């Protein structure tokens, strides 16, 4: 490892420059205006893979954004690590809240600000450089490596499941390495062994054929905003329990052992509350905040729209109202089944005064894995070497839909070695990445490949 670590040390300034180049590409997967940028970003990733010494690199087109693949299989008799990450990013709005432009990476106080810095370009780059440092510093890798980097994670990985199912031979490996999760806290390297799943809906309520003067007609017809508010507020009770019949049927209780582990983590609920600026926390009664995020499902209204929201007052009864509603799921809950429960329930409770349309959007299964797998133990040793501290094992409330697919279709364990921080504003204005973590993350990545060798 000596030459590898020397190489990292010597090349850190260039690594940072390359991260900036990566961050300058506005690869917003959900935006039709940015299609060309997303494509350009796929090419940037492919070029990186060639430059770091992959023997074979390919861009696979999909009906959405391309999947980039690269491999180096020169370590005979050694295991194969499949790295997964995403080069697409979230939209940037509200743009006026950014201190520096989202695609003009800027360093302030040891942090690099740009959309995608924490999620997920910084963490993809960290692993590219971990591999490069073996190949260029030592001339070889201790294990075989495959890279699978997609451009649709932020829009639900719609084409990835089919790709994985039809490329099982190509993706054959011993474990998956992912860096797309945050650390539990600053200075606390974390390995994530559980993610929540997701189902996402849009519902549209239509009252009359056109907006109406609220004086001429108010009092005779339903107001879709009102009907929507009543419908939504009935989905959760005062105790934060979701009221959809059958919703909790398949939720598994947490083992006493895991509960014990969880209570040992350094988590200060008051600090958490103030860091969010919340007057009081609200969640499902009977569970701690960490349990609420990691092991309990939830239902959120992600967006609401209806009627007049412009300047001044307008007396109107809107013709329609819309809501985006999603549910985070936990292991053993089937997204299809929950989606059916939701759809049937909403159709049942919608009043006859409106016509309702329900649209299903992206989704994915939750995932949880045992932490005694040798690959996870290798990750633990690697993080300890890089950060000088034993990592903690955590679950997360977010979703990476393909992780369950890797387990179900390829039979592969996933190792989630993330170096983001919980306050790095992923999906929000002023997204940033701590450069100490980026640089030590490269060392951690390099150690992981070493630790994976037999
Ligand atoms: N990197 C996140 C997933 C994540 C977030 C894991 C927080 C752990 C903690 C990923 O890029 C993401 O945002 N996923 C989406 C998935 C969705 C679009 C299907 C999510 O969780 O909302
Ligand atoms: Mn991500
Ligand atoms: Mn994300």
């Amino acid at each position: 490892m000596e030459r590898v670590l020397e190489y990292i040390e010597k090349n850190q300034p260039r690594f940072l420059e390359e991260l900036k180049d990566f961050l300058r590409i506005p690869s917003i997967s959900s935006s039709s205006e940015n299609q060309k940028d997303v494509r350009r970003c796929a090419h940037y990733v492919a070029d990186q893979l060639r430059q770091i010494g992959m023997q074979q690199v390919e861009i696979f087109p999909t009906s959405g954004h391309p999947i980039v693949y690269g491999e180096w299989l020169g370590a005979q008799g050694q295991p194969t690590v499949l790295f997964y990450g995403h080069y697409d990013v979230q939209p940037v709005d509200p743009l006026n809240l950014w201190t520096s432009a989202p695609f003009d990476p800027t360093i302030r106080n040891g942090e690099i600000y740009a959309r995608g810095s924490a999620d997920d370009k910084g963490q993809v780059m960290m692993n590219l450089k971990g591999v490069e440092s073996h190949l260029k510093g030592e001339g070889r890798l201790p294990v075989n490596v495959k890279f699978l980097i997609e451009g649709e994670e932020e829009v639900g990985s719609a084409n990835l499941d089919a790709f994985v199912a039809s490329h099982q031979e190509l993706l054959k490996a011993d474990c998956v390495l992912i860096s797309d999760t945050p650390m539990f806290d600053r200075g606390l390297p974390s390995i994530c062994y559980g993610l929540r799943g997701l189902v996402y809906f849009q519902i549209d309520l239509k009252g009359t054929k056109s907006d109406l003067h609220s004086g001429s007609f108010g009092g005779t017809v339903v107001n879709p905003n009102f009907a929507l508010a009543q419908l939504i507020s009935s989905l959760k009770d005062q105790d934060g329990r979701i009221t959809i019949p059958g919703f909790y049927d398949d939720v598994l209780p947490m083992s006493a052992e895991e509960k014990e582990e969880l209570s040992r983590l350094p988590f200060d609920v008051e600090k958490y509350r103030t860091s969010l600026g919340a007057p009081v926390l609200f969640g499902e009664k009977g569970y701690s905040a960490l349990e609420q995020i990691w092991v309990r499902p939830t239902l959120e209204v992600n967006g609401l729209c209806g009627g007049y929201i412009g300047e001044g007052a307008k007396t109107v009864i809107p013709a329609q109202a819309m809501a985006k509603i999603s549910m985070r799921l936990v292991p053993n809950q089937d997204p299809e089944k929950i989606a059916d429960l939701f759809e049937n329930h909403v159709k049942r409770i919608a009043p006859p005064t409106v016509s309702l349309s329900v649209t299903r959007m992206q989704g994915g299964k939750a995932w949880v894995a045992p932490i005694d797998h040798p690959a996870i133990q290798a990750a633990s040793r690697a993080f300890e070497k890089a950060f000088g501290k034993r990592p903690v094992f955590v679950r997360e409330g977010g979703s990476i839909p393909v992780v369950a697919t890797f387990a179900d279709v390829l039979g592969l364990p996933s190792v989630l070695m993330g170096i983001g921080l919980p306050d790095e504003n992923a999906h929000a204005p002023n997204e940033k990445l701590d450069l100490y973590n980026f640089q030590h993350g490269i060392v951690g990545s390099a150690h992981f490949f070493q630790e994976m060798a037999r």
Side-chain angles (χ1 to χ4, degrees), residues 86 119-120 153-154 180:
H86 61 96
D119 185 11
D120 180 31
E153 198 276 343
E154 298 293 8
D180 195 23

Side-chain angles (χ1 to χ4, degrees), residues 259-272:
K259 228 181 166 114
E260 165 71 25
E261 292 283 330
L262 200 147
S263 70
R264 271 209 294 268
L265 287 167
F267 183 77
D268 179 341
V269 73
E270 188 50 22
K271 204 173 129 202
Y272 175 75

